[in-house]
Structures are given as C-alpha cells and as structure tokens.
Amino acid sequence: MKDSDPRIQQAAGLLAESRAAVAFTGAGISTPSGIPDFRSPETGLWARLEAAGADETQTGMIQSFGHDPQTFYERMRPLFEKIITAEPNAAHYALAELEAKGYIRAVITQNADMLHQRAGSKNVIEVHGTLAEATCISCYLVAPFRPLLEKFLEDGRTPRCEKCGGAMKPNVILTGEQLPMQAVLAAKQAMRGSDVVLVAGTSLAGGPATALMDVAYLQGSKLIIVNQTPTIMDASAEAVIHMDVVVALPAIAEIL
Ligand SMILES: [Zn+2]
C-alpha cells in the first residue's frame, strides 16, 4: 500500500519495530458489528440499568440482579439480541492477523462479546468479564452462557441453574462487582512487558482503562491510538489515528 495515509504507515512502522506489542480495545471495535456501546450516555442502556439498580437498592446492579434477575434479563434483552447475532468485523480480523503474524502478543479488551476470539485472536484478556459463561448466584455452578441465552430469547424466562434452580448470571462485571482479578493481573502484566500499545475503539476513560494505560505509559511503552474521537491519552501517543477502526486496522495489517 504505497500511497496509504502517513499515520497508518507510522503505526505499522512502530509495530514492525516493536518486540512486545499488545492491543487494548473497547466498545468502539464492536460497534461496527452492531453492538451498541452500552456504557455510553448515547445509547443509555447502561444508564437505565444503573438507575434501575439504584432505585431498588442504592448499591448497584449486582444487588438488584440478586433481588430481581428477571428485570435484569428483560432490560438486557435488546443488547443480548444484538450480541447473539453479531459477527466479527474487519477490525477484529486485523488484530487476529497481527497476532498470528507475531506483531502483537495479546488483546486486552473491555468487551465481553467474544468477537475477538471468534475472529481468531488466541490470547484475549477480558478485563470486564465475558459472556462466554454464566455463574449460578446460589451455588456458583459455571455453565456456557450461549445456550442459556438462546433459551431466554425464546421463552423470556430467567436462565436457571440445572443443579439448584438459582438464577444464572452472565460473567460480565456489573456495577458493584469486583473486576475479575486474574484478568486484571494478566492485563497489567501484559502492559508491563509491552513496548508498544495499540489502542483501538476506546476513549480510555474510566474503569480499569486508566490504570492499565498508566502502567504502559509510566514504563515508556509507545502508544498508537486508533479511535474515531479524541482520547485522554492522545497527547501522550506516538501515533494518533482518528479513523474508523474497520478502515485503519486492516490498513495497518496490510502493510505488515
Ligand atoms: Zn446453582
């Protein structure tokens, strides 16, 4: 791609020179697959869920799930319907290709939608949990979530534990819950060992994003940022690409 955008060339050059690059992704990498950013104020879904939790208990969603899992499932239905039909997009595939070719070591993601894995990424660290599995809130039995979700979308009833009948909660992090400790530690370790961090589809605001990026920045990792809108780390980045991830990431992968 001899006449590609110089910023794309620059990003590809940084990855080519790196020894230990990692990717860090957020909701913006899955919005082209039709999954809304459910934490964003624009879609409002997360805000409505938060409000519902606060009304009931003043302490957050995890408590309200325990009291009334049916309401949680009903409110999440629009998002679940989108997630179950979503397919990985060109940005997911580009990151899988970069990993397969040895340019990145891991994908740290704030998403729980499994699209990185379905695109072929092998080392995926999910810092907000995953929709691959669900856990019984009574006996902690763990089961694959997809069959439970398919049944819920059919019959509209809260998925129940096959052992004790307790409500099954998808292993995504709800407000009021601890982040998954092992995943966060693995993410910190990956950031600590990195020399380049390729940020894609996240504004880097809030949650574990700030802390993880601090780890990378403080030890001198070079940052490549691919996001439609400015992020809080733009000023600290080597390469900033305000483009759609489905255009920019495949273009970077094509050069390498
Ligand atoms: Zn159970």
Side-chain angles (χ1 to χ4, degrees):
M1 268 185 75
K2 56 185 185 318
D3 31 273
S4 78
D5 189 308
R7 294 165 307 165
I8 299 282
Q9 298 274 8
Q10 186 196 2
L14 286 166
L15 287 171
E17 289 161 14
S18 78
R19 289 168 296 99
V22 297
F24 185 59
T25 71
I29 203 160
S30 290
T31 45
S33 291
I35 298 177
D37 178 359
F38 59 97
R39 284 184 165 84
S40 88
E42 291 97 76
T43 65
L45 178 60
W46 202 254
R48 288 203 300 278
L49 286 163
E50 299 254 359
D55 287 349
E56 285 156 24
T57 67
Q58 302 295 321
T59 47
M61 280 169 63
I62 182 59
Q63 282 80 6
S64 73
F65 182 90
H67 293 303
D68 185 6
Q70 184 67 28
T71 298
F72 167 85
Y73 273 97
E74 279 163 18
R75 285 175 198 263
M76 289 293 274
R77 179 186 272 273
L79 181 63
F80 283 152
E81 279 170 346
K82 291 201 165 80
I83 284 172
I84 209 154
T85 53
E87 294 294 335
N89 62 54
H92 295 108
Y93 286 115
L95 289 181
E97 188 187 333
L98 289 174
E99 184 184 356
K101 288 183 175 168
Y103 289 107
I104 59 173
R105 286 182 170 184
V107 177
I108 301 166
T109 185
Q110 300 168 84
N111 303 337
D113 54 33
M114 302 289 296
L115 293 180
H116 284 302
Q117 292 93 328
R118 287 176 54 204
S121 288
K122 301 283 183 249
N123 188 12
V124 181
I125 303 169
E126 297 164 301
V127 291
H128 281 156
T130 178
L131 284 167
E133 290 176 333
T135 303
C136 170
I137 61 167
S138 300
C139 77
Y140 305 107
L141 178 94
V142 176
F145 185 53
R146 195 176 174 96
L148 298 172
L149 181 55
E150 281 170 358
K151 191 164 170 293
F152 163 72
L153 292 175
E154 251 176 62
D155 68 15
R157 290 161 59 189
T158 297
R160 293 282 164 186
C161 172
E162 59 175 36
K163 241 173 81 184
C164 79
M168 296 294 288
K169 190 192 84 63
N171 288 357
V172 285
I173 300 311
L174 306 183
T175 310
E177 269 188 301
Q178 294 284 334
L179 291 168
M181 190 59 76
Q182 275 189 324
V184 172
L185 286 175
K188 278 192 178 153
Q189 205 171 13
M191 286 294 193
R192 207 170 284 134
S194 71
D195 57 0
V196 168
V197 179
L198 169 58
V199 172
T202 168
S203 64
L204 296 172
T210 317
L212 288 171
M213 292 310 295
D214 276 351
V215 171
Y217 179 68
L218 289 173
Q219 59 146 28
S221 298
K222 291 174 179 168
L223 307 183
I224 302 166
I225 296 180
V226 182
N227 200 51
Q228 287 275 33
T229 52
T231 80
I232 54 172
M233 299 291 281
D234 281 9
S236 314
E238 296 281 315
V240 178
I241 305 171
H242 289 160
M243 277 170 71
D244 197 330
V245 288
V246 297
V247 176
L249 293 183
I252 292 169
E254 198 179 324
I255 297 173
L256 292 166

